[in-house]
Amino acid sequence: MKNYSIPVVCIIIYALSSQMQAQDYRFIILRQLDDFEQFNNPEYETYNTLKVLSLGDSVKLGLGGSYRAQWEHFTNQTLGSNDPNDENWYLGRLFLHSDLRIANTWQFFLEVGSSHTASREVFRPVDRDIWHVNQGFVRYRSNALEVVLGRENLNYGSGRILTFREGPNVRQSFDGARINYRWTTQAKSELLFYSTVKNKPGAFDNDFVLGDELVWGLYNWIGAKTDKNNYELYYLGYDAELERYHNAEGEETRHSLGLRTIHTLGSLSFNNEFLYQFGSVGEQDISAWTASINGLYQLTNTLSLGLNGELISGDRDANDNTLNTFNPLYPKGAYFGRVAFFGPYNLMDVHPYIMFQHKRLLFEVDFYSFWRFSDEDGIHSLPGQLLANNDSGEKFIAKQWGLHANYRWNSFLSSDIEVNYIDPGSFLNVSGFNENLFYVLWTTQVNF
């Protein structure tokens, strides 16, 4: 798809969808979860008939997709004085899917994607994959049992440790299987075993079930969604042929024990998560942990105040044969905003924010302060690469301001703009990072 097609696609879809403002369709991020029942309004028979084809009394075929256009701007992208003064590039992502459902028992889902970039001389692996199978699986349901086999975009909990990386241009896919069993209306468990898909920039050249990283585990949910108290208790195993840290390198086998708690007390809600990790990397043992506290207070129907904080362990001693650096495995792509400069390794952070939501508009203002958890370990990017380290003993990393606005034009079209500004602190200054970073992201997405 050529670069000029980005605004053309948006204009065409908006022009068509503006004729159906009265119908409020809901498209889920993971499109295999779309509700077919909403596509039966006789007032929009033409669209609904094309959207969901009836192949029999209990057989339906859903067709659809999405296109996301992004423009990114960086000033001082690496916080260094040798950065180019002005960097701009464009990213486009197309998904097309077919979704065959037989009664409420079988689902056959196929989704192909095309991710491309322009005006960027050196692209990252998460920027480009010309054509690829993003998802392709079969799902079987029978009473309390559900079995899924194939390639999926996985999403667990708050996306802190195992999710599909929505922010970047190429999602993270996994090949494998999972078995879900609902014990009661308020309790279910899921066994999972997957290998990760390593994307390549060409057309349909990604391998199947041959990844050099494996993830497996048992995930448990307790509590109905309408209850005030919900719990997620889980174990995840991880194996990689090669991992590199500041103080360790080699084959890694890591085990994670986690607890996520969700509570509501009147206008105050909490979403907290605690994780402990053990195992080995190279010749070293692993002992790492993280604690995340997230609180939100609803001031009015439209205005909320939030306060988040995290402790994420780093290595305490390079010579003690134990690695204390936490590994987030497969976190969401916008862990600390879409600028995604810092990754969740060896960090302490405080994050207050204000959120305003009214009808189709969402507006958020936030602020981060970052410190090193351990002054014996460095700081890392979101993919885990070492960004900076020194023995100065300085802990304060940076301050980050952010603005985010989202407007949903109609059921089909939405736009986002995000602005971030990073002011490096004493630790980064000692490491030679002395320039402020400025970032702007504009996104428009159409779903159909």
Side-chain angles (χ1 to χ4, degrees), residues 2 44 84 98 101 158 165 181 192 289 332 440 445:
K2 301 293 186 182
Y44 307 110
S98 64
R101 302 183 188 182
S158 298
R165 194 178 60 198
Y181 189 82
L192 62 124
W289 61 277
K332 54 190 175 184
V440 180
Q445 177 156 320

Side-chain angles (χ1 to χ4, degrees), residues 316-328:
R316 293 193 298 264
D317 187 344
N319 302 310
D320 67 354
N321 205 41
T322 298
L323 180 70
N324 308 111
T325 305
F326 180 78
N327 185 345

Side-chain angles (χ1 to χ4, degrees), residues 344-383:
Y345 308 77
N346 188 38
L347 280 182
M348 299 183 291
D349 68 87
V350 177
H351 173 210
Y353 63 95
I354 301 173
M355 184 168 58
F356 173 82
Q357 189 165 12
H358 180 65
K359 296 183 179 179
R360 299 179 182 273
L361 174 66
L362 171 68
F363 184 76
E364 187 175 325
V365 180
D366 60 7
F367 173 77
Y368 288 91
S369 291
F370 298 102
W371 296 265
R372 282 196 297 171
F373 183 88
S374 169
D375 57 15
E376 296 295 318
D377 200 351
I379 61 170
H380 301 74
S381 65
L382 187 60

Side-chain angles (χ1 to χ4, degrees), residues 82-278:
N82 60 343
D83 282 346
N85 292 327
D86 200 3
E87 290 191 88
N88 300 275
W89 53 79
Y90 303 88
L91 301 167
R93 188 182 72 186
L94 172 69
F95 283 135
L96 298 171
H97 71 259
S98 64
D99 187 353
L100 178 66
R101 302 183 188 182
I102 303 175
N104 197 34
T105 304
W106 292 95
Q107 181 182 21
F108 299 86
F109 187 85
L110 176 64
E111 183 176 58
V112 296
S114 177
S115 300
H116 52 276
T117 180
S119 304
R120 185 165 192 165
E121 294 182 3
V122 179
F123 61 88
R124 302 162 298 181
V126 297
D127 290 335
R128 180 185 295 180
D129 195 340
I130 299 304
W131 282 105
H132 59 281
V133 176
N134 181 56
Q135 298 192 89
F137 63 83
V138 56
R139 184 197 310 268
Y140 171 78
R141 296 186 184 96
S142 177
N143 298 321
L145 178 67
E146 179 181 273
V147 180
V148 183
L149 177 66
R151 174 168 294 183
E152 275 194 282
N153 294 152
L154 300 177
N155 187 43
Y156 290 89
S158 298
R160 295 188 180 103
I161 194 166
L162 183 53
T163 189
F164 53 90
R165 194 178 60 198
E166 171 63 5
N169 210 33
V170 180
R171 284 183 180 173
Q172 176 67 67
S173 299
F174 300 84
D175 289 340
R178 56 188 177 90
I179 301 173
N180 187 303
Y181 189 82
R182 182 171 289 280
W183 304 96
T184 69
T185 57
Q186 296 190 16
K188 65 178 180 178
S189 300
E190 186 161 283
L191 283 168
L192 62 124
F193 187 92
Y194 285 88
S195 67
T196 59
V197 177
K198 299 294 186 183
N199 66 285
K200 301 174 184 177
F204 299 112
D205 55 352
N206 297 338
D207 293 326
F208 284 83
V209 203
L210 294 174
D212 57 4
E213 295 178 7
L214 300 175
V215 61
W216 64 92
L218 173 63
Y219 211 99
N220 303 280
W221 294 264
I222 302 171
K225 291 182 178 179
T226 55
D227 286 353
K228 293 184 178 180
N229 299 298
N230 295 271
Y231 304 91
E232 297 175 7
L233 182 65
Y234 57 89
Y235 158 75
L236 292 174
Y238 170 78
D239 186 85
E241 292 182 3
L242 178 63
E243 286 282 12
R244 291 187 176 92
Y245 300 89
H246 174 58
N247 296 327
E249 179 179 325
E251 182 178 355
E252 176 172 326
T253 301
R254 187 179 292 246
H255 308 279
S256 301
L257 298 175
L259 172 65
R260 180 187 178 209
T261 64
I262 303 169
H263 304 282
T264 301
L265 301 169
S267 299
L268 187 61
S269 59
F270 294 95
N271 179 358
N272 306 324
E273 197 155 2
F274 310 92
L275 267 162
Y276 177 71
Q277 296 180 330
F278 60 96

